[in-house]
Amino acid sequence: MNETQELLLIGPFSQLLTMDQLPLKGAIKDEQLIIIPNAGILINGNTISEIGIFDDLKKSRNPNTSVYEIGENTVALPGFIDAHTHICFGGSRANDFAARNGGKSYQEIAAAGGGIWSTVNHTRQYAEADLTDAMTGRIHAMLKQGITTIEVKSGYGLNTENEIKMLRAIKSANEKTPADLIATCLAAHIIPKDFNGGEREYLDYILREILPVIKEDKLCNRFDIFIEENAFSTDHSSRYLQALKDHGMELTVHGDQFTTGGSKVAVECGALSVDHLEVSTEKEIDLIAKSNTIATALPGASLGLGCAFTPCRKLLDAGASLAIASDWNPGSAPMGQLLTQAAILSSFEKLSMAEVFAGITFRAARALNLKDRGIIRPGLKADITMFETPNCKEILYQQGSMKVSHCMKNGVMLF
């Protein structure tokens, strides 16, 4: 700790939900939450230094401590973490949404020139700076929602030039906004229609042409793949992921969205997370629960596509670790709004308040292999989201209509 750094004391909070001392895996009851009343948080630079009763911390503070007094009846939690987004994109897919509501399937829309390929065509037309600017606006909207760490995927470029353009735009946006962006290469989203070859040839192309540039320019250390009938098969995906793992890359997988198989590949390859899981059966649930792979539910995709939610209750009761992310993308999950999605999911899947907040804080952090955030504890990042309410139960009860009153990122109060 830097002893010369000016300390900052914030509070008093009617309730401080630390999210500390909770299990990484399995169900969580609300009674397990540590809720400190009349609490304060002492911050040193970008790090939490001490937590406790606000008046006690105020009385014992040293002369270098500034005090930021929050209005009465405020609840504080760790900054929210959105562990799966596609917010680097160009264009709109409003036509797709209308077609789906008119009875067309996801696969039918894609076959007709819509779907992911439509966004690829739009995104390729954007300059890097334009992608950065569009992303920056979305990031600021997420910060207003108390989301302080955001995973962002490529995957709408699907060739070396445009995948690298997207990853550089993500890097630029990370430098221009207070949020922490975690970049993931999803060049293996679909086989591009203008690629001369099959899925094995395209995956080899990524390894041969795109991976070396990413490593040289340090653009990301995470890779994703869409394992699905209209994307990549389990056999080719396994070989691809193992090759990436041999290069020291961290892995995540789009799996079990329309058909099963992806979750098995994710677990066998030691992926940090497997995301979607809307069609996972008892077999896949048991496999995930016995692994260290985080199950990430994406309720925005279920809402956007009008399909079943991830079987979260079954996953948790089986002993799995569950994160919840927005999947914000222009096609299947255009709403964003992580907290609203999580609240709706909790109603359908009967998730406790503790399980929901765990899914968008420390469990989401572990899905990104981040151990320095997601919990309000001395030594961790001072990322804090606050709501003007005396009772933390109001936050999910109001299903996203309660707005964040204050948001701190890296010890800096953003608003």
Side-chain angles (χ1 to χ4, degrees):
M1 181 184 297
N2 182 358
E3 299 297 340
T4 63
Q5 170 75 48
E6 181 175 304
L7 300 174
L8 174 65
L9 173 63
I10 62 172
F13 300 108
S14 54
Q15 295 179 326
L16 171 60
L17 278 69
T18 67
M19 304 308 297
D20 203 1
Q21 298 182 40
L22 294 172
L24 178 61
K25 299 181 67 174
I28 312 174
K29 295 185 181 297
D30 288 346
E31 293 76 18
Q32 293 175 258
L33 287 169
I34 295 175
I35 303 178
I36 304 174
N38 306 311
I41 306 173
L42 186 64
I43 295 162
N44 185 308
N46 64 0
T47 305
I48 297 166
S49 177
E50 188 175 353
I51 61 175
I53 303 302
F54 178 79
D55 288 343
D56 293 343
L57 293 171
K58 189 175 181 180
K59 288 175 185 176
S60 63
R61 73 187 191 278
N62 68 39
N64 290 326
T65 304
S66 299
V67 179
Y68 188 112
E69 296 212 18
I70 303 290
E72 293 183 2
N73 297 328
T74 300
V75 170
L77 305 96
F80 296 152
I81 297 166
D82 196 337
H84 182 128
T85 84
H86 302 255
I87 60 170
C88 183
F89 66 86
S92 168
R93 299 249 290 279
N95 290 339
D96 287 14
F97 184 77
R100 275 199 305 274
N101 288 348
K104 297 291 186 182
S105 72
Y106 184 95
Q107 291 86 350
E108 287 172 331
I109 292 167
I116 293 168
W117 187 246
S118 172
T119 300
V120 170
N121 285 327
H122 283 110
T123 303
R124 286 181 176 182
Q125 294 171 19
Y126 274 54
E128 179 184 321
D130 295 329
L131 284 174
T132 298
D133 288 345
M135 207 182 334
T136 298
R138 296 172 192 130
I139 292 163
H140 283 305
M142 296 174 83
L143 286 166
K144 285 288 187 181
Q145 299 167 39
I147 302 167
T148 53
T149 299
I150 307 164
E151 188 260 14
V152 187
K153 302 180 190 295
S154 65
Y156 296 130
L158 305 189
N159 60 30
T160 303
E161 176 189 355
N162 287 289
E163 283 294 307
I164 297 303
K165 177 183 71 177
M166 290 187 71
L167 291 168
R168 285 178 175 152
I170 295 167
K171 183 177 181 179
S172 179
N174 189 43
E175 294 167 351
K176 292 182 177 181
T177 65
D180 285 335
L181 305 188
I182 310 300
T184 301
C185 178
L186 182 57
H189 204 172
I190 60 171
I191 303 169
K193 292 187 177 183
D194 57 359
F195 182 79
N196 185 22
E199 64 174 292
R200 176 163 187 155
E201 289 79 13
Y202 179 62
L203 294 175
D204 285 343
Y205 166 81
I206 296 171
L207 295 170
R208 184 179 66 251
E209 302 293 338
I210 299 178
L211 175 61
V213 181
I214 288 173
K215 291 181 70 174
E216 182 177 356
D217 293 351
K218 296 181 172 60
L219 294 174
C220 73
N221 68 340
R222 287 171 49 86
F223 275 72
D224 194 352
I225 187 169
F226 186 22
I227 302 177
E228 194 52 65
E229 285 184 350
N230 292 332
F232 296 96
S233 66
T234 55
D235 289 344
H236 288 308
S237 297
S238 294
R239 186 182 64 86
Y240 172 72
L241 291 170
Q242 186 58 56
L244 290 167
K245 192 173 183 179
D246 292 343
H247 280 277
M249 296 292 126
E250 296 178 349
L251 308 176
T252 183
V253 168
H254 280 61
D256 296 2
Q257 183 176 12
F258 302 112
T259 57
T260 57
S263 58
K264 184 174 186 289
V265 173
V267 169
E268 290 176 347
C269 291
L272 289 169
S273 73
V274 56
D275 306 6
H276 276 298
L277 306 174
E278 292 90 341
V279 299
S280 296
T281 69
E282 298 291 344
K283 177 182 176 182
E284 288 77 35
I285 290 168
D286 182 65
L287 187 69
I288 296 166
K290 290 177 179 176
S291 76
N292 292 320
T293 298
I294 308 286
T296 301
L298 306 175
S302 298
L303 294 167
L305 296 174
C307 65
F309 289 103
T310 302
C312 301
R313 183 73 271 150
K314 290 181 178 180
L315 282 159
L316 287 166
D317 289 345
S321 184
L322 179 77
I324 304 169
S326 74
D327 194 22
W328 189 357
N329 72 72
S332 59
M335 74 178 293
Q337 303 297 328
L338 174 63
L339 187 62
T340 298
Q341 292 188 29
I344 293 170
L345 180 69
S346 71
S347 294
F348 280 86
E349 286 294 313
K350 303 306 176 195
L351 305 181
S352 70
M353 176 179 66
E355 288 165 342
V356 172
F357 286 145
I360 59 176
T361 57
F362 73 94
R363 286 179 168 178
R366 292 300 289 272
L368 300 175
N369 201 25
L370 300 173
K371 300 177 183 179
D372 61 351
R373 68 198 73 189
I375 298 171
I376 296 178
R377 179 200 297 160
L380 300 189
K381 273 183 175 285
D383 294 354
I384 304 164
T385 292
M386 296 157 253
F387 293 86
E388 190 174 344
T389 177
N391 184 354
C392 59
K393 293 178 181 177
E394 291 280 348
I395 299 170
L396 294 179
Y397 166 65
Q398 296 194 26
Q399 296 183 314
S401 63
M402 177 179 287
K403 304 305 180 186
V404 171
S405 61
H406 301 75
C407 182
M408 172 174 281
K409 176 61 184 169
N410 287 321
V412 176
M413 194 71 78
L414 303 181
F415 60 87

